[in-house]
Amino acid sequence: MEHVHLAAEEDDLYSGYNDYNPTFDSEELDNDAGFQQAVRTSHGRRPPMTAKFPGTAIGGRALGTSFGSRMPMASSMGRPMTGAVQDGAARPMTAVRAAGYSSAMTRGSTFDPLGQSKGPAPPLEGKSEDTPDEKVKILEKKVNDLIEESCLAHGHGDLQLSLDRAKEAGRKERALVRQREQSGNADHINLDLTYSVLFNLATQYANNDMYAEALNTYQVIVKNKMFSNAGRLKVNMANIHFKQKNYPKAIKLYRMALDQISNSHKEMRIKIMQNIGVVFIRMGQYSDAITSFEHIMSECPNIKTGFNLILCYYAIGDRERMKKAFQKLICVPLGIDEEDKYIPPNDDTHANLVIEAIKNDKLHQMERERKALAEKFIMTSAKLIAPAIEATFAAGFDWCVDMVKSSQYVELANDLEINKAITYLRQRDFNQVGAVETLKTFEKKDSRVKSAAATNLSFLYFLEKDYDQADRYADLAMTADRYNPAALINKGNTVFVKKDYEKAAEFYKEALRNDSSCTEALYNLGLTYKRLGRLEESLDCFLKLHAILRNSAQVMWQLANLFEMLEDPHQAIEWLMQLITVTPTDPQVLAKLGELYDSEGDKSQAFQYYQESFRYFPSNIDVIEWLGAYYIDTQFCEKAIQYFERATLIQPTQVKWQLMVASCYRRSGNYQKALETYKDIHRKFPENVECLRFLVRLCTDMGMKEVQDYATKLKKVEKMKEIREQRVKSAREGSTRGTRREGSASSVGTPDPVRHLPKKDSEVDIKADSGHSSHGTSAKGERLSAKMRALPGSNEPYEASSQRDIDASYVDPLGAPMERPKTAAKKRNEDDDFADEELGDDLLPE
């Protein structure tokens, strides 16, 4: 009985759940050889065979279920054993087949769950481009590419190319719309693409200053009700009218755009109102502009609006509201981090690295720019309203300084006080209670402010030619800030005026090492090398300076002067020709060109430039003298008369000009006018021998009775002249004897005294007087010796005069002001209309 097993005793409650009918196994149809054969051949059309086992068409197929051949059952219910092996195939652990198992798999077959043994999949079928939908998609892509190319071209600065691409995109977009209409998809038009094309086209029209076309394109967008938020584009239309100075139309469009923008877009509304205020300022309607700016300052204050509000109050002259607006301006929050954030701690290496990385990133640069802009507006506002808010500008500056000290811009207070001193300078107030006294208050301040104040003081004392004080404050400025190039320049200038050129050059070089863009140091270094005779090095300095300052007249003049000193007149003429393109009406430059052409033997070109110089400055004696001599040389004596008459007006005590006028009348055959002129000269200068001789000759030739009187006067004057010359000669001989007697022991090597040879009475002594610089300053220039044709002798009235060469000295016209070194002072806000200019850049000491 122990070997008898009853079925009921071992009956499993979960039996039958794992039974699986292979008829429903669709996943293994790929591996079913019978099924695949039926599909490929006509085997599937044969009458069905009676299956040995249910669910298959082939009786001998191995099944992985409880049907078919299997191992002996372990129970009387026919439940298969788990994990049994049937006909060499591994049976799965459960009735649901796992990946990699199949009914046809045998032992030793390759495991290939992804079916890679079948080879690659066939290529995808290409889509036909002939379908309407494909054509539409291709056109849309082309339009988008053209819009992108247009934007990129504008970013690169090629405005014409950007406009061409925008126009082409517009043509493609219209072709796209027609394509949709032809295919019957007119309801599926891409409005976003149409809007992008029109907006880009209008923008490119405006960038190319084609305002009428831009306005028409914007009008097309605005009138189309299908475009949402198109009303905002009226702001762009208003901007175009603003550029065209059509201010009423601009205000109308700004207000229309403001009405179409909801209150949720607060920032956009504020910007539009700011534009409205600016347009009112252009129209001169300051009260309306004030209304707009006040509303902005109450809703969302910003620096620019506060500055514009101060300008409006200044325009209407409202002192109290100017003060209130300035207080609001300095209270505007900037929204930037404090500079202490970027100070690295000493103990945290990771934090130091992070701070070093963000110290100069884009965000910090933007913060610095915003702060610099705020400081610029505050400084400009203070300098603007300070003279207007109080009785004196000093009291106004003091009020502004007090307000700034109590704000977040404490460091600007010192700069405001320096600007107060500079305002004194502009008012020519150099006394102790003015600029100097104000600047001296900074001697005990921090190093930066002390250096700036000392630099300005050094400049002031240099202008007053108090070189000791200038040197003292230059040293003080260098001590406070050794890297201050302005202080080094002022120090070099004080050494330059003491003629210690080598030491001055060292200071200028140090200033250039600290600031390679310091043009004052480079200019002064070139002058120093010129004084030292190192002309090639001086030429290099001025050529470098010309590369920086392309249109500087002073630099071009120095280059021309250096080439003239290097005996290269052709290069000197080239530089002077460039100079007259910058200053075409400078008479001294034109005169110098005439002198150079005359030295080269080109009389016609010399005459042209001398004539132009005389036209712009008819009081230059050198030019008048040359022109008169030129006309006499070319036998046009009557034309020379006007020039010598002008010389007579300029130098009425010089008899030579009046004698030349009379000589010109005589040479042109107008003897009566010549006689009257000689008589007039005799009345003014009765002891002039030349005049009496000509009177005697003219009266004799014309048979006049006055000849005897003039002859008697001539004899008396000649006798007096001889007596005077004998006295001078005897006095000179006596002094020479006494000098030789006293210095007989030391007379070896002493040069002989200069002997003054008496001139012939027929010669007229003509000397060039110092010319006046057209730049308003005068100094001793370098005299350049030039040869001119002699004026005809006055004692030969009826025959041709022999040509004589006489020496005439000409003063370098622009050399005088250029030879002084440029001074430097503290410089701030050079791009601001109200900002103080750098002292000494263009001012040269008198």
Side-chain angles (χ1 to χ4, degrees), residues 712-753:
T712 303
K713 292 180 180 179
L714 178 60
K715 290 180 181 179
K716 289 181 180 179
V717 172
E718 287 179 344
K719 189 174 181 179
M720 291 175 60
K721 185 177 180 181
E722 290 178 1
I723 294 172
R724 192 180 299 115
E725 288 178 355
Q726 288 178 359
R727 289 177 181 175
V728 172
K729 184 177 180 181
S730 61
R732 186 182 297 120
E733 290 177 353
S735 62
T736 304
R737 256 187 245 107
T739 304
R740 288 178 178 176
R741 197 178 300 115
E742 292 175 1
S744 58
S746 59
S747 62
V748 179
T750 304
D752 293 335

Side-chain angles (χ1 to χ4, degrees), residues 231-261 268-283 292:
R232 296 185 179 186
L233 296 183
K234 291 182 179 179
V235 176
N236 294 6
M237 298 173 67
N239 292 340
I240 293 176
H241 285 294
F242 179 80
K243 291 179 181 179
Q244 294 178 329
K245 297 184 179 180
N246 188 0
Y247 300 130
K249 185 69 174 178
I251 289 178
K252 178 181 177 181
L253 287 171
Y254 280 135
R255 286 176 171 170
M256 291 174 67
L258 194 65
D259 293 338
Q260 295 184 11
I261 296 176
M268 175 68 76
R269 293 177 62 85
I270 290 296
K271 290 181 179 179
I272 294 175
M273 292 193 67
Q274 189 168 351
N275 287 359
I276 293 174
V278 172
V279 176
F280 277 130
I281 291 178
R282 292 294 182 92
M283 296 174 66
S292 298

